[in-house]
Amino acid sequence: MDNLQIIGSEEWCVFNELGIPAIKARVDSGAKTSSLQAANIKIVNRGANEWVKFEVSPLQENRSIAIECQARLVDRRMVKSSSGISEVRLVIKTPVTIGDSTFDIELTLANRDTMEFRMLLGREALNERFIVNPAVNYQLQDFDDTEVNKMYAPYFKEKSGLKIALLASNPLLYSNKRLMEAAEARGHEIVFLNVEQVYMKLDAHSPEIRYRGGTILKDFDAVIPRIKPAVTFYGCALIRQFKNLGVYCQNSAEAITQSRDKLFASQLFSNNDIHIPITGFAKSPMDTKDLIKMVNGAPLIIKLLESTQGKGVVLAETNKAAESVINAFKSVNTNILVQEFIKEANGQDIRCFVVNGKVVASMQRQAQKGEFRANIHQGGVASIIKITPEEKKLALKAAKVLNLAVAGVDIIRSNKGPLLLEVNSSPGLEGIENATGKDIANAMIVAIEKRLKYSN
């Protein structure tokens, strides 16, 4: 016992034979075998032996780096995941270096993309080598950000690519950080622009866009708009100005404006044979009773025309409650939609993420108990789902009707088939990337490259 080293609950591991210079591992004495995040797993035969080729994204903060690895396959094992699901996993054996110690370790190749840590260090690796102190971290070796960036410098491409502007409000949001790192990983220069600190000069001869302090914004190839609802009007004016200066905007001002106006969007959907829950709109309080009857009565949904993330959406359980809420909104001159409640959906909806005419990822969102809104921002729980061809067709058609290159399309399953709830022009990446393990930020950057016919 005296010669055992103390190891923390998190440690850096190095896999020289796999070409992984550093990867953070969560130390878990409850797991027998260690596991490693792996994607695009392929088995190849080499003489009498089977080998495995796979990709590892070793940095939990940056999914855009993927290292191609290969190792001899030593076993196939039935492993129960932390969620209680048993599956067959491939097992490899390779040397690992932790601090000053280097030894062979068995690793199961697992899809840990939805997990915080890309590696789990199990007790077989710990036995007779380490004592775990869960109160501390990085006892054997610690790498700072500068060291990690230096190790992974070869995996970042030279900055000779496009110049992209990310037009948004908060650089610390998950979605914005992911888009910045994805663009940089593909060799592009990307600049964060706070939408409220950009201003413009309107002039027939020399129109301009400037940033705080007077910096003239020029030479941009593309703009990714991620505009919050509160600044839709101003943000769309800026997008039109960028377009007038010849810059490609991933979503146009017109498309964003249409998607944000729920009444106009609903009219476009019904005019284009896109099925939505029965929806009503009226101005006069005198018509409230008939409006409720028109959408099949209570329970029903009442939505503010410019609601987002489930805010400004109310469920009225009875006709009397519906009348009260509708008339209250109307008394303060707030425009609302009244919509039938799809009871059989059981608080579930589907978010399809559309990029350039393709559904790149889909997730199912389940509302919390006692809540009817499945939005992640309202506490909804996300899980991966396989959508039907009919649902895929509906998602693509909805994005096309609004002319959105990037869209989060929300669908609900009803007894009448899939119904479109709404389309979001600035869909968040965190929930769907974590639920599906897909690098959607990268897909958005690739879509810009294709649109601009850029090749590296």
Side-chain angles (χ1 to χ4, degrees), residues 1-194:
M1 290 288 285
D2 293 340
N3 61 347
L4 300 185
Q5 290 180 288
I6 293 175
I7 195 170
S9 62
E10 297 168 17
E11 291 291 344
W12 284 100
C13 297
V14 177
F15 292 96
N16 287 320
E17 282 195 9
L18 295 180
I20 299 172
I23 185 169
K24 278 182 191 172
R26 182 167 70 83
V27 177
D28 184 359
S29 58
K32 184 183 177 188
T33 313
S34 303
S35 66
L36 183 69
Q37 175 271 340
N40 299 325
I41 300 172
K42 290 177 185 170
I43 298 174
V44 291
N45 290 315
R46 290 187 184 169
N49 298 317
E50 287 184 310
W51 280 65
V52 192
K53 286 186 174 181
F54 54 96
E55 287 180 1
V56 176
S57 296
L59 299 182
Q60 59 203 56
E61 302 85 4
N62 190 339
R63 290 186 199 186
S64 301
I65 289 176
I67 295 177
E68 293 181 6
C69 305
Q70 53 183 335
R72 193 165 72 84
L73 178 65
V74 297
D75 199 5
R76 290 174 172 83
R77 251 172 239 164
M78 186 68 75
V79 176
K80 187 177 278 192
S81 70
S82 56
S83 55
I85 300 168
S86 294
E87 59 181 359
V88 176
R89 286 191 195 161
L90 305 180
V91 183
I92 63 167
K93 196 171 188 177
T94 190
V96 63
T97 300
I98 306 174
D100 296 328
S101 304
T102 300
F103 52 92
D104 282 348
I105 185 176
E106 283 194 345
L107 293 166
T108 64
L109 301 181
N111 182 1
R112 296 185 56 81
D113 242 10
T114 57
M115 304 293 183
E116 184 186 358
F117 285 88
R118 296 295 191 253
M119 181 183 165
L120 185 147
L121 196 65
R123 65 176 177 274
E124 278 187 343
L126 305 173
N127 280 351
E128 297 180 18
R129 293 188 181 97
F130 307 110
I131 295 174
V132 182
N133 180 354
V136 295
N137 292 327
Y138 313 119
Q139 292 300 289
L140 303 180
Q141 187 154 27
D142 197 4
F143 300 122
D144 61 26
D145 289 346
T146 305
E147 289 174 292
V148 172
N149 289 337
K150 194 174 178 181
M151 289 176 198
Y152 283 98
Y155 299 96
F156 285 96
K157 294 180 183 175
E158 287 284 321
K159 281 196 176 178
S160 57
L162 300 170
K163 187 174 180 183
I164 302 169
L166 177 57
L167 190 64
S169 295
N170 183 355
L172 301 178
L173 278 185
Y174 176 94
S175 300
N176 296 335
K177 290 200 308 192
R178 286 286 298 113
L179 286 164
M180 298 281 285
E181 71 184 27
E184 287 169 358
R186 294 191 65 81
H188 304 304
E189 180 186 349
I190 185 160
V191 178
F192 183 90
L193 300 177
N194 187 319

Side-chain angles (χ1 to χ4, degrees), residues 112-415:
R112 296 185 56 81
D113 242 10
T114 57
M115 304 293 183
E116 184 186 358
F117 285 88
R118 296 295 191 253
M119 181 183 165
L120 185 147
L121 196 65
R123 65 176 177 274
E124 278 187 343
L126 305 173
N127 280 351
E128 297 180 18
R129 293 188 181 97
F130 307 110
I131 295 174
V132 182
N133 180 354
V136 295
N137 292 327
Y138 313 119
Q139 292 300 289
L140 303 180
Q141 187 154 27
D142 197 4
F143 300 122
D144 61 26
D145 289 346
T146 305
E147 289 174 292
V148 172
N149 289 337
K150 194 174 178 181
M151 289 176 198
Y152 283 98
Y155 299 96
F156 285 96
K157 294 180 183 175
E158 287 284 321
K159 281 196 176 178
S160 57
L162 300 170
K163 187 174 180 183
I164 302 169
L166 177 57
L167 190 64
S169 295
N170 183 355
L172 301 178
L173 278 185
Y174 176 94
S175 300
N176 296 335
K177 290 200 308 192
R178 286 286 298 113
L179 286 164
M180 298 281 285
E181 71 184 27
E184 287 169 358
R186 294 191 65 81
H188 304 304
E189 180 186 349
I190 185 160
V191 178
F192 183 90
L193 300 177
N194 187 319
V195 64
E196 293 174 71
Q197 294 174 3
V198 183
Y199 53 104
M200 54 190 149
K201 172 189 170 191
L202 305 176
D203 176 70
H205 298 292
S206 56
E208 288 176 351
I209 298 178
R210 297 193 178 201
Y211 199 46
R212 58 186 181 211
T215 305
I216 297 173
L217 300 176
K218 57 183 181 180
D219 302 326
F220 282 105
D221 299 294
V223 171
I224 303 172
R226 304 281 305 175
I227 298 166
K228 61 184 180 182
V231 291
T232 299
F233 176 80
Y234 188 65
C236 285
L238 289 172
I239 294 166
R240 282 193 295 273
Q241 186 78 345
F242 274 112
K243 184 187 173 188
N244 292 343
L245 293 174
V247 181
Y248 167 65
C249 300
Q250 193 163 36
N251 276 339
S252 70
E254 294 74 22
I256 293 168
T257 303
Q258 286 177 170
S259 70
R260 292 268 163 93
D261 183 339
K262 287 187 166 49
L263 176 59
F264 185 31
S266 297
Q267 289 175 312
L268 281 173
F269 298 145
S270 58
N271 288 345
N272 285 277
D273 196 32
I274 291 174
H275 294 198
I276 61 174
I278 299 167
T279 303
F281 177 77
K283 190 73 179 166
S284 168
M286 292 172 63
D287 298 315
T288 301
K289 278 188 167 62
D290 192 48
L291 189 66
I292 292 167
K293 190 177 172 186
M294 191 170 73
V295 298
N296 294 332
L300 54 81
I301 302 291
I302 300 156
K303 286 183 179 179
L304 291 177
L305 277 193
E306 289 199 352
S307 61
T308 182
Q309 297 177 353
K311 297 168 188 170
V313 182
V314 178
L315 172 65
E317 306 258 10
T318 65
N319 285 353
K320 195 172 179 70
E323 278 186 60
S324 299
V325 175
I326 292 167
N327 290 335
F329 276 130
K330 286 183 180 174
S331 69
V332 290
N333 288 323
T334 303
N335 288 319
I336 55 163
L337 289 179
V338 177
Q339 204 166 64
E340 73 171 320
F341 178 61
I342 308 300
K343 189 179 177 183
E344 61 268 23
N346 292 320
Q348 292 177 342
D349 71 9
I350 296 166
R351 161 63 62 93
C352 299
F353 206 106
V354 178
V355 179
N356 272 17
K358 288 184 180 175
V359 176
V360 295
S362 304
M363 66 173 170
Q364 180 173 277
R365 302 180 297 190
Q366 174 68 57
Q368 282 189 333
K369 196 173 181 183
E371 174 61 76
F372 69 97
R373 295 166 296 181
N375 307 64
I376 304 298
H377 290 87
Q378 300 300 330
V381 178
S383 58
I384 194 166
I385 189 174
K386 187 173 173 61
I387 58 170
T388 67
E390 194 181 2
E391 288 161 352
K392 182 179 177 182
K393 188 177 174 184
L394 177 61
L396 294 177
K397 190 174 181 182
K400 189 176 180 182
V401 162
L402 289 174
N403 200 25
L404 287 168
V406 172
V409 182
D410 294 342
I411 293 170
I412 199 165
R413 287 175 171 172
S414 79
N415 293 334

